[in-house]
Amino acid sequence: MDTIYYAQITEENFDAASLDNFVRRQEVAHCWRKRDGQWELLPIAYVEDWDPEGRRRRAEKLLRSVQRGDAAYGAWAGETLVGFARLAGPLFGSREQYIDLAQLHVSAPCRGRGIGRELFRLACRGAREAGAEKLYISAHSAQETMAAYRALGCVEAEEIYWPLAKKEPCDVQLEYRL
């Protein structure tokens, strides 16, 4: 595999076709759910994947976000985008302490190589520059996804941001102190 290089996503290095070869596929076997105040790992199986139209829609959404001034970071192997992270403003929370880590994805063939960790580090730097104290993550509840976020140091969010939590009621609401 080519050397991975990282850069802020801009209109010059990202367009509507930038995710055409991205492999989002994740075979999920177990998910975390909260029951009676306790987290349980339950057998919930499905495949999460993006079809070609979904990849285009997501690329266009990311590009619009960047055009609005949100920060996004990419990882490239040669000319191919193999990972990305996106922050979505404005700040929110009781003290405007949070910024939303709206996306963090690594293409399936490139997982397990530290790309997600480096994108997370770049997003943290961008979040600090935006004036945030914490990242807020409405995270997929799959066992592997939660293990990755926990390994990065994320914990259950002190405050629930209901506009995000209601959009994805099965997500786990996490935070990361910057």
Side-chain angles (χ1 to χ4, degrees), residues 141-154:
S141 63
Q143 181 178 14
E144 300 80 6
T145 302
M146 292 306 301
Y149 278 117
R150 297 282 185 197
L152 291 167
C154 299

Side-chain angles (χ1 to χ4, degrees), residues 3 30 37 71 105 109 124 126 128 138-139 147 150 155 168 174 177:
T3 300
H30 294 87
H105 298 288
C124 287
R128 281 190 293 273
S138 184
R150 297 282 185 197
V155 298
E168 295 289 346
L174 301 172
R177 181 173 297 280

